[in-house]
């Protein structure tokens, strides 16, 4: 019948924002056309970097999944926010520097209307140094050695150790 009506889309799939209702007037012997556009619901992904050596800015990561394959770099504060991601599962892989223990790829689920967070915490690689002391007179206990230099991460190293009875 002729008249003014409100038209709503019902049973909108979860991946879409419900479009707003529209008002349409139908006149006698006239066809009214109402167009609805479905827009995806999006979520966000926040990456947080916390390494042992305090270097957080400019760290590269690869984000892949759900049609996305993108390289990003952390901001000076060690974070990165990626908006307008479709809901789904994404894999985040740090492009790890050799000075850190390797990081496992992490999976994160992005939910529409929310910000999902993932944290990467790097631990510096460590090694072991053993000093063996010998002497002609057998004195090998209680001697102090100093290790100084620069680690692979660029941090200064200054450590002391005292030999035990075995040298």
């Amino acid at each position: 019948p002729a008249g003014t009506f409100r038209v709503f889309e019902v049973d909108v799939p979860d991946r879409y924002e419900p479009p707003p209702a529209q008002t349409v007037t139908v006149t006698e012997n006239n066809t009214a056309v109402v167009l609805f556009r479905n827009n995806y619901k999006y979520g966000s992904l926040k990456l947080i970097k916390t390494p042992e050596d305090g270097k957080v800015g400019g760290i590269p990561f690869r984000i892949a999944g759900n049609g996305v394959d993108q390289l990003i770099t952390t901001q000076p504060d060690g974070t990165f926010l990626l908006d307008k991601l479709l809901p789904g599962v994404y894999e985040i892989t740090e492009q790890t520097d050799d000075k850190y223990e390797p990081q496992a790829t992490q999976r994160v689920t992005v939910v529409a209307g929310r910000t999902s967070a993932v944290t990467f915490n790097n631990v510096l690689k460590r090694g072991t140094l053993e000093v063996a002391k010998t002497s002609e007179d057998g004195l090998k206990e209680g001697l102090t050695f100093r290790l100084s230099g620069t680690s692979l991460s660029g941090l200064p190293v200054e450590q002391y150790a005292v030999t035990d009875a075995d040298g």
Side-chain angles (χ1 to χ4, degrees), residues 32-54:
V33 177
V34 180
L35 298 176
F36 285 90
R37 175 177 168 80
N38 289 110
N39 293 314
Y40 284 117
K41 289 181 182 177
Y42 293 105
S44 299
L45 173 65
K46 182 175 184 177
L47 187 140
I48 303 162
K49 176 77 173 141
T50 61
E52 186 177 17
D53 62 359

Side-chain angles (χ1 to χ4, degrees), residues 147-151 153-159:
L147 172 68
S148 65
T150 305
S151 71
S153 65
L155 295 174
V157 174
E158 186 80 22
Q159 293 182 343

